[in-house]
């Protein structure tokens, strides 16, 4: 799994990493039971602080996407991967419908981000 950061982005580094892992799970490039790179190794390869990687992993753990275990590292949970897969399928339907209606995906994203009242 290839993770990258954009130091010029306004998004915090740990948020960038967490978003990329989520996207990889939705895309199916990372599956249930798959181990993510060790925090130390990933930090070294990205030239960032190890605590930044750990914070991203902890956020994903709090969301239920990862299990963190000593000696085993960060592992994608089966339940979360299944949920993300279902969400990815639902989003594909939304993308197709938006395309058929001539709506830009940015408008769809704004609709999703708006809380219902």
């Amino acid at each position: 799994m290839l993770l990258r950061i954009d130091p010029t982005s306004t998004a915090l580094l740990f948020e960038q990493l967490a978003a990329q892992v989520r996207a990889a799970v939705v895309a199916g490039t990372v599956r249930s039971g798959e181990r993510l790179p060790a925090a130390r190794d990933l930090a070294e390869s990205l030239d960032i602080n190890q605590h930044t990687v750990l914070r991203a992993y902890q956020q994903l753990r709090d969301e239920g996407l990862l299990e963190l275990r000593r000696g085993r590292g960060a592992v994608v949970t089966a339940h979360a991967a299944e949920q993300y897969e279902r969400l990815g399928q639902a989003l594909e339907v939304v993308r197709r419908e938006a395309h058929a209606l001539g709506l830009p995906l940015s408008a769809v994203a704004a609709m999703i981000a708006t809380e219902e009242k």
Side-chain angles (χ1 to χ4, degrees):
M1 178 164 116
L2 180 64
L3 296 172
R4 296 182 181 163
I5 57 165
D6 179 3
T8 63
S9 173
T10 58
L12 298 173
L13 297 177
F14 83 91
E15 291 173 343
Q16 291 181 45
L17 291 174
Q20 289 181 47
V21 172
R22 280 187 218 100
V25 172
V26 169
T29 56
V30 176
R31 302 208 180 276
S32 168
E34 191 168 331
R35 262 199 270 177
L36 299 183
R40 180 179 298 156
D41 296 341
L42 184 56
E44 285 177 10
S45 71
L46 296 173
D47 196 27
I48 61 175
N49 190 297
Q50 180 179 345
H51 294 286
T52 302
V53 176
L54 288 171
R55 187 166 180 195
Y57 283 3
Q58 289 166 347
Q59 181 179 25
L60 294 168
R61 178 206 56 206
D62 293 346
E63 294 171 9
L65 185 65
L66 295 181
E67 287 181 358
L68 297 178
R69 295 187 181 162
R70 281 195 182 271
R72 189 163 178 230
V75 180
V76 177
T77 63
H79 180 68
E82 188 177 290
Q83 287 179 322
Y84 273 73
E85 183 179 337
R86 288 181 50 212
L87 179 60
Q89 292 168 354
L91 288 174
E92 183 55 36
V93 171
V94 170
R95 277 189 216 92
R96 278 190 251 125
E97 186 65 21
H99 180 72
L101 295 171
L103 297 173
L105 291 180
S106 58
V108 175
M111 291 172 67
I112 291 170
T114 304
E115 291 185 29
E116 285 190 34
K117 296 179 183 179

